Every structure is written in structure tokens, then in C-alpha cells.
Amino acid sequence: LQRHDLTPPPRVAQRSKALHLSARRYQAVLQPAQGSPAIGAAGSAPAAPGAGGTEGSGATVGSARIAAKKAQLRSSPRPKKLEKLGVYSSCKAEGACKCNGWKSQNPPPTPPRTDQQPNTVNLLEPCRSCSHTLGDHVTHLENVSEEEMNRLLGIVLDVEYLYTCVHKEEDADTKQVYFSLFKLLRKCILQMGKPVVEAQESPPFEKPSIEQGVNNFVQYKFSHLPSKERQTIVELAKMFLNQINYWQLETPSQRRQRAPADDAAGYKVNYTRWLCYCNVPQFCDSLPRYEMTQIFGRTLLGSVFTVMRKQLLEQARQEKDTLPPEKRTLILTHFPKFLSMLEEEVYSHSSPIWSEDFLGVPMQQKVQEPCTTRIHFHTPSPGGSTNRVKARALLGSGQKRKPSEPIPHDETKKLRIVGDIPMELINEVMATITDPTSMLGPETSLLSAHSARDEAARLEERRGVIEFHVIGNSLNQKPNKRILMWLVGLQNVFSHQLPRMPKEYITRLVFDPKHKTLSLIKDGRVIGGICFRMFPSQGFTEIVFCAVTSNEQVKGYGTHLMNHLKEYHIKHDILNFLTYADEYAIGYFKKQGFSKDIKVPKAKYLGYIKDYEGATLMGCELNPSIPYTEFSVIIKKQKEIIKKLIERKQAQIRKVYPGLSCFKEGVITSCCDPRKELKDPDQLYSTLKTILQHVKSHQNAWPFMEPVKKTEAPGYYQVIRFPMDLKTMSERLKSRYYTTRKLFMADMQRIFTNCREYNPPESQYYKCANLLEKVFYTKIKEAGLIEK
């Protein structure tokens, strides 16, 4: 290859700080260029992959230099273009020459300056490799249009640039991708084709995309806000998506050193896709380029979000003095809270924003509409036992869930809240509790006396003041200096706070590869932690040490530590803790849900855990449906809802009504005339039995013949409080339960009402209920029990 004055994109890994969130940068984000998408504004040019971060100025210069060289080459005379393309074109001379590129007999020692290159090109000059002329290498270009030639010249410069990148790149994974793209573009020049990256999957790789997920998040959490406050949230979302689009992913090898327990294979696949479709096309425009936020989804966002959030907030704090005053509050106060709320949705297994069926309605309305996701069976016929079983399962239903689609973890969220309180009132109360400016306003520095123990710690974590990391020693991987320093810090904390425990024993357990420690980090130093050993085969974890340094106690750190440990174990399907607590720690463990009543069978832990003299064995059983780190917030919100509902109920009780006025004109008779009631019990029984037989034998009665089974319709009895079916009515009729026609009609009406409440109007079962109801009332009228 003829080398040119091109330098590969700068490696972000060579910089300790790869973040550029300056005032100018933020201002550019919040005021995107005209024509940019609604969410995700324009940004600057890319850098090569590194340790994670945004692009550097070197990348901008490199991309601009490539663009300038392409423009310069495309403005050259046609003979010069032929000479350039001949270098990458196969020989067309007779005799089946196998030369794949013309090489000059007398190449210059260094790349000459463009303004010094002669404009005359000799097409008869022989090739150094095959001795055929330059004209033999470019005969296929004689009738090619200028536009096509310029396109091929652009690919040529991209090939040369990638060649330089391959030789200067140190990371093996990145070098391999560069080389593959180099061969692809080289082949495109030979065949005069268009570059297409060959892959098993083509973009987008996951739905919904990151951009759609963030849009859903804004709608899900903030649709109730006034337009001005909501516009602020939209600007924050634009800022965040713009950062992702130009975020430089760390290489797989760097990620393995930082987070060895993560899914290395999955990350490597996404990293390769990101290089091919997002990063390299920014400086090699011959390749099709995609926005990172439009082709990747929750998986990639989850792999970079924690590191990205930390670096964004850290850089914002460092550059706070350079930010313009009108942007300072937005970046320093609102942006951290926005990221904290988004983080919960990114890592929550039950967040609705990542559903392809997300309807864009606020959270309060989602609870109100239980039928947004329904199970749909094929339309059954009246005959056939299989169809009857399906019908009984739901008494009608909506859309069918695919076999590969998992059952939603938060199925109860889709269930309608029933009872005396209408959903409109619930929504109204929620709107009064959720202050529209609460998330945007400054956090209070003085917590209420009624605040939860971990509230201060939770706020500090959201602001980035403290961090939690599960760490441990390893004999198989290269020691990480930072982790080793944290382990030494944990050993010091445990030694100072547990003076009765031998230091050698503490050191041995903390550095034991079978033990892990949930460490609490503040200002880069360890201030507390919980050392534990997991026994997955036995179904429990032993907590060995638990301590917070003395000058950081009484701040809720201990409670928040334990809550993080609980959520960590729920993710790993271990739902029991065991620990030996001394007399000073029993009170703490009781507050965290531990008790002396051990749920784990003795045979499971005997011989596994360490025994301590003078200590009490305590255990704790975890509930996988409880979000422990946010549990106190949920309880507080529930108390507020109940308090508001009680206040409204009391206001209704104290209200004085004017009284009834209907008796002034006489009592209005209903359609159910009491005179129509049959006095003879045997006659009533016979009439009702005949009507019930007519209903049961009707072709639309098959969905309602027997009660619904819980195993066939999960959650049915949480929606339908008073179930009824034709079999139950037959048993009641036989036992002479129906002493009046009103009891009989009420039960029958309950069947139809339940079906319409549980199923959508377009379902087959909803239609069966309507048709059977008409038949029933026709028979009632024919029997003379109500007026025609």
C-alpha cells in the first residue's frame, strides 16, 4: 500500500479522563442542529475504542483530515484517479494474470505533497509485480461515470486509513475487526461493489432500541408533569442520548479486568457490532453508519450505564465552575436525578419501558388497564373437551402470548384494582402526592425525624457520594490493584470494629477466594462492608463480618448495605441468610429482618458455617418480590396514599345531602314487578329449572359451564371477586337456594358481568356472553317473571 499522511483515531485508553462535558458541549447538546432527531442531538466526530468515554478532539481532526483528502482526490484529473484506482484493481491483461494491484516501478521514498505531483499519468508504465501496464489494470474503468469513480476513490482512502489502524492498534479484538473491514473494502474495490458487513443479524439488534426505551421512560414517569417541567425532562433525555451516540466502548479485554463476572461473550458481540456499524463508519464513510441508540437496546445500555453515569456526574462536578448559570442547575441537580431514576428502569427486570407493546401511557393509567397484555386462544367450537378447557381457563381472553415469551414478573401490576375505591380516585390521589417539581427541586439537607434509616444513604448513592461493589480475591485472574486496595481497606475496617476477632483470621477470610465482600466506598476509600460466603447448593449464604467504620455510623449505611446484599442474593436465587451475631449486633440484625427462628433445615447448614462461642445464630428469609433498596420509599408512598384516601372519605362522610325527592310524585315501579313473583316454591323451582336447561343447552353457553381453575387462569380471582358459572347455579337450584327469582337472575347476570369485565370486547367469549344474555332474558320474559 502507498502510505499517506493519515493517523488512526486516538485511543481513549491512553487518557485517564475521557470525558468532555464542558459548558460548550452541554450547550451544543441542548441546542441541537437543525434537522436533528427529536431525541438525540448532533455531536462531534468519533474516536477509536478505549476505556469508555466520549470522543476527543484528536478524532475530530482525524475525520476532518480524511474528508479533506477525499475532496482533494476527487477533484484531481481523471488520469490521476485511474492511477490511484489501478493500485487496487486486478490486472485484466490476457493470460489470466493474477496481479491484484498495480505497483509503480519507481515509487517515491516518501508520500509527495499533492501540489508537487505532476498531472500527467503514463498508462503505459509497467507494473512492478506483473510487468503489465497501468492501462491493463484500469480497462474496466474506461466507461465508468465520474460519480462511481469518486465513490471508489472514497473507499480507497478508507482502505488506507484502516490499514494504518490495523498496524497501530494494540488491542487484539479491535485489530481483528479493523482487519476484517479492511479486507471487505479491498474486495469492494476489486469487484466495484458496495460494502455490506456480513453478519448473522443486521441492525437493529434489539427492540425496543435505547432511544425508544428512553422515550418510553419519559412518557412512563413524567407524562403527568406540566408542559414546562416535561420539556426539561425531554432536554435531559436528549442530552443523555447524545452522550450514548458518541460514547466510546471499552474493549472486551479492559472490561474483563474491570468486571470479570459479567457476560464477556455477549459484550464482545455487541462491541464488534458497535465497531462495524457505529464507530468505524464515522471516519470511514464508505460503510453505512447507524446511531448507537437506534440499533442497540437494553442489553448494551445495561453494560455501560453504571460506568457512564459515574463518569458523566464526576466530570460535571469537576467542570461546574465553567458551566453557564442557566445550565448549571439542569446539569448539576436535575441530570443526576434523571440518571438515578433511569438506572432503576434499566436494571429492573419488570420495567414496562422495555416492552415492545408499551402504549405510552403514564404509570397510573397502566395500573388501571389490566387488559393491555392478554392471553388469546384460538376461537374454539362448542364441541370438543380441549376447547372447553381453554374456555374455562379464562372465560374468554385477549391476545395470545408466544411460547418463547416469558410470563411477566409483575403480573399483578396489570390487574385491575377492585373494591370500593374507583381507579379514577386512585389516579387523582397519586397526582396530588407526586409533586411535579419534587424531582426537579433541590434535595433537602435535613431529613425528617420520621424518615427511614436508609434514606440519607440512598440519597447519597443517587448523588454519587457513595458506591457499592461486590468484590473478592481471585487465584485465577491477574490481581486488580484497586480491588486489592479495597480488600486491604476492608480488612482494616473489620479489624478496628471487631477487636475481639484475630486480625489473622479476618485477613484470611477477606482474602479467601471463596468469600466475597459487599464494600461501601466513599470518596474512593472503604468505609464499611459485609463479608459473606455463598452456598448455592445448600440454598443459603453465611454472613461472616458486617461493620461500618465508627466515624461514619448512624447514617443509615448499615441498613443500606444489607438491602443491597439482599437484592444481590435475590438476583443469584439465594433467599436465606445465616449469621452468628454477638450481643452488640443482635439489635442491628433484628432491624434488618433477622430472627432466631431459622428457616433453613439444620441438615443444610450443619458443618458448612463457622461456629462462634458466645454468639447467637440468626437467620433471614428473603422475599424475591420486594425491592429492598427502595422498600422504605414504597411504604412511605403507600402511607401517603392511604392518608389521602382517608381524608377524602372523611370529607364525604361529613357531607350533608339534601335528601330524597322521588316520593313527591309517588314510588317509581321497576321492570321487576313484585306481583310477578311466584308464591309457590315448587312452581318457582320448576320454572327456573326449565330456564336454566334452555341456557345450558344453548350453543353459546360452552365457556361458562364450569368454574375457572387457578392453574389455567393465573390472576383470574384477583380480578373477579365474585365468580359464578352454570354448574354452580345448577347445584344451588338443586339445593333450593333460589327462593326468589331475583337471586336466580343476580347469579346469571354475574356470569355475564364477570366475562365482560375480564375480557376485551373483540374476544369470542365477550360475544358469547352478550348473545347468551339475550337468550336468558327472552326465556325470563316468556316465563312471565318480568314484563315483556
Side-chain angles (χ1 to χ4, degrees):
L1 292 176
Q2 294 181 349
R3 303 208 175 199
H4 293 269
D5 185 20
L6 293 173
T7 57
R11 284 192 58 78
V12 185
Q14 297 172 356
R15 298 175 291 162
S16 59
K17 298 293 184 184
L19 217 45
H20 297 275
L21 303 182
S22 60
R24 182 181 302 174
R25 171 81 171 147
Y26 272 112
Q27 196 166 5
V29 173
L30 293 178
Q31 298 174 358
Q34 186 175 3
S36 59
I39 289 191
S44 52
T54 53
E55 72 285 353
S57 58
T60 309
V61 175
S63 299
R65 188 182 301 164
I66 298 173
K69 281 189 171 293
K70 287 184 178 181
Q72 194 176 58
L73 186 59
R74 287 164 178 164
S75 63
S76 302
R78 189 176 181 89
K80 290 295 295 181
K81 296 180 180 180
L82 291 174
E83 180 185 20
K84 187 71 174 178
L85 290 172
V87 175
Y88 298 91
S89 301
S90 58
C91 184
K92 309 297 188 299
E94 296 180 1
C97 181
K98 296 182 179 180
C99 179
N100 278 332
W102 180 82
K103 296 179 178 59
S104 175
Q105 291 278 2
N106 301 305
T110 57
R113 294 180 58 87
T114 306
D115 53 6
Q116 295 176 352
Q117 294 181 5
N119 290 330
T120 59
V121 175
N122 184 10
L123 295 178
L124 299 178
E125 184 178 351
C127 174
R128 189 172 73 240
S129 298
C130 66
S131 300
H132 293 114
T133 65
L134 171 62
D136 290 331
H137 285 78
V138 296
T139 54
H140 63 294
L141 298 173
E142 292 179 357
N143 298 322
V144 171
S145 66
E146 200 71 18
E147 181 182 357
E148 176 64 12
M149 190 169 290
N150 287 339
R151 184 185 72 85
L152 294 174
L153 288 170
I155 301 178
V156 166
L157 283 184
D158 287 343
V159 164
E160 294 175 350
Y161 191 62
L162 281 173
Y163 179 82
T164 309
C165 293
V166 169
H167 283 271
K168 292 193 175 184
E169 180 58 51
E170 299 175 358
D171 179 72
D173 296 317
T174 310
K175 182 191 285 285
Q176 184 179 4
V177 175
Y178 283 162
F179 186 64
S180 299
L181 294 176
F182 163 79
K183 292 193 297 183
L184 170 67
L185 294 182
R186 184 79 173 81
K187 183 179 179 181
C188 287
I189 300 175
L190 288 172
Q191 300 178 354
M192 298 179 64
K194 293 185 178 181
V196 177
V197 179
E198 296 181 359
Q200 292 182 349
E201 296 183 47
S202 58
F205 303 112
E206 190 175 1
K207 292 183 179 181
S209 64
I210 297 175
E211 181 177 312
Q212 185 59 50
V214 173
N215 273 318
N216 293 346
F217 167 72
V218 172
Q219 183 72 5
Y220 178 57
K221 290 289 188 181
F222 308 108
S223 60
H224 64 281
L225 295 179
S227 58
K228 185 176 181 181
E229 285 82 357
R230 193 172 186 277
Q231 183 59 35
T232 303
I233 302 298
V234 172
E235 297 298 338
L236 292 174
K238 289 181 182 179
M239 182 191 304
F240 176 72
L241 288 172
N242 184 76
Q243 293 295 330
I244 297 178
N245 278 328
Y246 295 98
W247 189 261
Q248 304 302 310
L249 297 186
E250 57 186 345
T251 64
S253 58
Q254 292 168 339
R255 183 174 179 83
R256 281 194 296 269
Q257 294 178 0
R258 182 181 62 82
D262 287 354
D263 180 15
Y267 180 81
K268 185 176 179 180
V269 170
N270 279 332
Y271 175 78
T272 303
R273 291 169 172 172
W274 170 76
L275 279 177
C276 294
Y277 293 100
C278 302
N279 182 262
V280 174
Q282 293 190 64
F283 51 85
C284 293
D285 58 7
S286 301
L287 295 167
R289 180 180 178 272
Y290 297 86
E291 293 286 358
M292 182 174 169
T293 56
Q294 294 178 356
I295 65 173
F296 292 101
R298 182 183 194 176
T299 303
L300 183 64
L301 181 61
S303 65
V304 303
F305 190 93
T306 303
V307 175
M308 181 179 179
R309 173 179 176 269
K310 179 182 177 182
Q311 292 190 18
L312 287 174
L313 297 182
E314 180 181 354
Q315 191 69 17
R317 285 194 295 269
Q318 291 178 357
E319 300 184 1
K320 62 181 179 180
D321 296 331
T322 62
L323 297 173
E326 66 274 11
K327 305 297 182 186
R328 191 170 301 165
T329 303
L330 181 72
I331 296 171
L332 298 180
T333 304
H334 305 341
F335 196 44
K337 296 177 183 178
F338 176 87
L339 292 178
S340 296
M341 297 181 69
L342 179 57
E343 184 176 28
E344 295 177 5
E345 302 301 322
V346 170
Y347 295 113
S348 171
H349 296 292
S350 57
S351 174
I353 70 171
W354 303 107
S355 170
E356 293 188 45
D357 300 326
F358 183 81
L359 299 179
V361 296
M363 178 173 55
Q364 294 88 342
Q365 295 179 16
K366 290 289 279 188
V367 178
Q368 185 182 4
E369 299 173 5
C371 298
T372 54
T373 302
R374 293 181 183 272
I375 305 175
H376 174 69
F377 289 100
H378 297 292
T379 304
S381 59
S385 59
T386 304
N387 288 332
R388 289 198 188 97
V389 171
K390 292 181 179 179
R392 292 199 305 270
L394 295 179
L395 291 185
S397 49
Q399 299 176 350
K400 182 179 180 181
R401 183 185 290 115
K402 298 177 181 179
S404 60
E405 184 178 347
I407 297 176
H409 183 267
D410 59 335
E411 190 72 26
T412 55
K413 287 187 177 180
K414 297 183 177 68
L415 300 177
R416 181 175 303 181
I417 298 177
V418 294
D420 297 332
I421 306 173
M423 276 308 304
E424 292 77 9
L425 179 58
I426 296 290
N427 293 335
E428 189 178 344
V429 170
M430 287 292 294
T432 61
I433 295 175
T434 307
D435 183 7
T437 60
S438 60
M439 201 208 78
L440 302 176
E443 292 175 353
T444 177
S445 58
L446 298 177
L447 293 171
S448 168
H450 301 287
S451 299
R453 286 188 298 272
D454 63 333
E455 189 161 345
R458 186 169 54 252
L459 293 177
E460 287 190 9
E461 183 185 10
R462 289 187 176 180
R463 291 198 298 264
V465 178
I466 60 175
E467 301 172 3
F468 295 87
H469 300 275
V470 176
I471 61 175
N473 196 12
S474 175
L475 300 179
N476 302 322
Q477 298 176 351
K478 185 179 179 180
N480 185 295
K481 182 179 178 181
R482 184 177 64 169
I483 291 179
L484 290 178
M485 291 297 293
W486 284 350
L487 289 174
V488 172
L490 287 164
Q491 188 267 351
N492 290 332
V493 171
F494 293 145
S495 298
H496 282 88
Q497 299 305 124
L498 306 171
R500 298 188 196 177
M501 200 68 66
K503 292 184 179 180
E504 296 81 4
Y505 178 71
I506 292 176
T507 304
R508 178 156 60 88
L509 294 188
V510 170
F511 284 89
D512 178 17
K514 295 180 181 179
H515 288 71
K516 295 181 181 180
T517 306
L518 174 63
S519 56
L520 171 58
I521 311 299
K522 186 174 184 179
D523 298 328
R525 60 185 181 88
V526 177
I527 64 169
I530 301 177
C531 182
F532 59 94
R533 181 176 177 180
M534 304 170 71
F535 295 94
S537 61
Q538 305 304 110
F540 75 92
T541 282
E542 176 193 13
I543 295 178
V544 185
F545 306 127
C546 177
V548 175
T549 187
S550 56
N551 60 337
E552 296 288 356
Q553 292 180 2
V554 201
K555 296 182 180 180
Y557 292 152
T559 299
H560 207 43
L561 258 172
M562 187 61 70
N563 287 338
H564 270 284
L565 187 68
K566 290 176 180 177
E567 292 203 347
Y568 176 82
H569 279 79
I570 288 173
K571 292 178 182 178
H572 289 78
D573 297 323
I574 297 179
L575 303 180
N576 283 283
F577 288 159
L578 291 178
T579 188
Y580 273 97
D582 59 25
E583 66 270 25
Y584 301 108
I586 290 177
Y588 164 77
F589 282 109
K590 282 185 176 180
K591 292 177 182 178
Q592 309 309 319
F594 286 72
S595 71
K596 299 177 184 179
D597 182 17
I598 309 300
K599 302 294 184 181
V600 182
K602 192 172 184 179
K604 288 282 188 181
Y605 65 83
L606 193 63
Y608 286 88
I609 66 173
K610 296 169 276 292
D611 294 327
Y612 298 91
E613 292 183 0
T616 303
L617 181 62
M618 303 185 73
C620 178
E621 187 176 16
L622 306 181
N623 188 328
S625 63
I626 295 178
Y628 284 96
T629 54
E630 297 295 329
F631 187 59
S632 59
V633 177
I634 295 172
I635 295 298
K636 183 178 179 180
K637 180 71 72 175
Q638 290 175 345
K639 287 182 178 179
E640 290 294 324
I641 294 174
I642 294 173
K643 181 181 176 182
K644 293 288 184 181
L645 290 173
I646 291 174
E647 291 176 357
R648 288 171 175 257
K649 199 67 176 178
Q650 289 177 340
Q652 293 177 359
I653 293 173
R654 290 192 293 265
K655 184 177 180 180
V656 178
Y657 293 90
L660 297 175
S661 59
C662 62
F663 295 102
K664 293 181 179 179
E665 304 298 331
V667 179
I668 301 175
T669 59
S670 65
C671 63
C672 297
D673 191 342
R675 290 174 294 179
K676 296 289 183 179
E677 191 70 70
L678 297 177
K679 301 297 182 180
D680 185 0
D682 293 333
Q683 185 182 359
L684 177 64
Y685 172 81
S686 176
T687 303
L688 297 182
K689 183 178 180 180
T690 303
I691 295 173
L692 186 58
Q693 287 296 335
H694 277 292
V695 172
K696 291 172 65 176
S697 62
H698 195 270
Q699 61 179 0
N700 292 311
W702 55 267
F704 318 109
M705 297 299 291
E706 294 183 10
V708 175
K709 295 181 180 179
K710 292 183 179 180
T711 56
E712 296 174 345
Y716 177 83
Y717 290 98
Q718 292 175 292
V719 177
I720 304 302
R721 296 179 64 193
F722 305 105
M724 184 53 58
D725 60 277
L726 296 176
K727 180 180 179 181
T728 303
M729 288 191 66
S730 297
E731 294 172 352
R732 286 188 171 187
L733 180 64
K734 187 176 181 180
S735 64
R736 302 295 179 118
Y737 167 80
Y738 298 118
T739 57
T740 66
R741 60 170 168 54
K742 290 185 178 180
L743 289 175
F744 180 80
M745 294 175 64
D747 277 356
M748 186 67 74
Q749 186 62 50
R750 175 62 62 185
I751 294 177
F752 309 135
T753 303
N754 289 347
C755 182
R756 284 191 285 259
E757 182 177 0
Y758 190 81
N759 300 287
E762 65 273 11
S763 69
Q764 179 69 22
Y765 311 102
Y766 196 105
K767 296 175 182 178
C768 284
N770 288 343
L771 294 174
L772 193 62
E773 184 180 31
K774 292 180 180 179
V775 172
F776 168 68
Y777 278 102
T778 300
K779 296 299 179 182
I780 285 287
K781 292 176 182 178
E782 291 176 356
L785 296 182
I786 60 174
E787 292 181 352
K788 296 184 179 181

